[in-house]
């Protein structure tokens, strides 16, 4: 199945709509689009800056205390300090989940690839959720789970032995194999069907209307941190579909789930920014 890029698939239709739109609407869309692409470039620059060690006081503090085994996980302002691509590097296995002395929840994950050159304060996406490494050893790393993380994602359902998707944050030398994934999960969806076709697997996920409005056919979606192309959106069922080829099925956790299980969802950030920007350019309805 050949799937065109979202931009190529919709460019002709968008140009046609803009050509017939009122002048204020054309100006609004042009301004919003330019702002979004400038924001994307800023995100990429911020990711590279962070990967080089700048702008991240947590990493600097950690490097200054190499003998420390653990670093207390404290809330901080959410800046753009990490970006991901949605290309899962490996599947890890949860070693354990515990409640710390301060009442916080910690999860320890066994891994190998993502531990290469890991440092305290690094960001690792676990099932698409950007989390901070608070401790590590030769075979596992530990992250803190805040109450908001447990409410917003499906990580509260994992237990000892659960497999999870893992990806390190983007580096200057990394290829952009998927799409810009922040690791900020928007919510969860529920698997409603899993149907094989040849060596591929069709999966349908039900999502809330608040998320579904940002999901478009041939657009991007991160499901448990995996960058995927949306095949179709079924509004009347409040659901969308995607397909996993045989290669991908062997490298992500989604095929191991069952109908009724929840998955983490992160929609394409560009759609949300465009919507937000256009709210300030509303064009009054023409009077008859």
């Amino acid at each position: 199945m050949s799937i065109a890029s979202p931009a190529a698939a919709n460019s002709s239709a968008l140009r046609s709509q803009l050509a017939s739109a009122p002048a204020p609407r054309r100006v609004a869309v042009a301004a919003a689009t330019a702002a979004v692409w400038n924001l994307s470039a800023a995100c990429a620059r911020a990711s590279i800056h962070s990967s080089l060690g700048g702008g991240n006081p947590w990493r600097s503090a950690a490097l200054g205390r190499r003998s420390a085994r653990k670093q207390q996980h404290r809330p901080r302002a959410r800046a753009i300090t990490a970006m991901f691509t949605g290309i899962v590097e490996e599947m890890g296995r949860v070693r354990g989940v515990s409640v710390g002395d301060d009442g916080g929840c910690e999860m320890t994950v066994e891994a190998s690839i993502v531990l290469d050159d890991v440092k305290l304060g690094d960001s690792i996406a676990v099932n698409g959720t950007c989390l901070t490494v608070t401790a590590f050893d030769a075979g596992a790393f530990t992250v803190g789970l805040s109450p908001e993380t447990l409410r917003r994602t499906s990580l509260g359902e994992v237990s000892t032995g659960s497999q999870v998707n893992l990806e390190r944050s983007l580096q200057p030398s990394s290829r952009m194999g998927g799409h810009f994934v922040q690791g900020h999960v928007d919510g969860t969806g529920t698997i409603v069907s899993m149907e094989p076709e040849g060596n591929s697997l069709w999966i349908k996920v039900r999502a809330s209307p608040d998320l579904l409005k940002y999901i478009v056919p041939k657009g991007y979606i991160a499901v448990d941190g995996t960058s995927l192309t949306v095949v179709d959106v079924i509004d009347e069922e409040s659901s969308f579909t995607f397909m996993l080829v045989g290669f991908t099925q062997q490298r992500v956790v989604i095929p191991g789930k069952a109908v009724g299980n929840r998955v983490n969802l992160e929609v394409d950030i560009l759609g949300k920014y465009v919507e937000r920007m256009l709210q300030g350019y509303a064009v009054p309805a023409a009077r008859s």
Side-chain angles (χ1 to χ4, degrees), residues 60-71 120 134-136:
S60 299
L63 290 175
R65 295 178 293 184
R66 295 180 180 178
S67 61
R69 290 296 303 274
K70 289 190 176 182
Q71 178 173 314
L120 293 178
T134 59
F136 65 91

Side-chain angles (χ1 to χ4, degrees), residues 5 20 43 48 88 91 104 124 137 155 161 173 213 247 284:
S5 69
S20 59
C43 288
I48 292 174
V88 175
M91 290 187 289
I124 295 179
D137 57 30
L155 290 180
S173 60
K213 65 180 180 179
F247 179 86

